Amino acid sequence: MSNTENSKYGKKLNRKSAAEYLGVTEGTLAVWASTGRYSLPFIKVGRKVFYTIADLDAFLESRVHTQTA
């Protein structure tokens, strides 16, 4: 099975690939998921965790700022 799969939810990535996509570590994504620090939706099937490209892109878009205030 590959890291990316097509489904009703669009293209999805496992945690490792999603972390690379965002430029963070797998551990960071795990902490965010367990603490709810960021509203980043994920799909959990057993032990496996997946993120959709659309959700990752929406998360990145929500993090765009024009000033530091």
Side-chain angles (χ1 to χ4, degrees):
M1 186 181 292
S2 69
N3 286 343
T4 62
E5 299 175 15
N6 289 316
S7 72
K8 169 183 167 180
Y9 298 101
K11 203 170 230 185
K12 57 188 191 300
L13 302 175
N14 63 20
R15 183 171 275 156
K16 180 179 180 179
S17 296
E20 289 173 6
Y21 189 84
L22 294 177
V24 299
T25 67
E26 289 179 67
T28 295
L29 282 184
V31 168
W32 290 354
S34 68
T35 63
R37 179 171 182 174
Y38 294 109
S39 180
L40 180 57
F42 59 92
I43 302 164
K44 186 162 175 141
V45 181
R47 292 183 181 178
K48 295 183 180 194
V49 176
F50 299 97
Y51 297 83
T52 66
I53 296 286
D55 287 338
L56 295 174
D57 287 341
F59 173 75
L60 289 173
E61 186 65 31
S62 75
R63 307 304 306 158
V64 174
H65 299 280
T66 58
Q67 58 187 353
T68 59

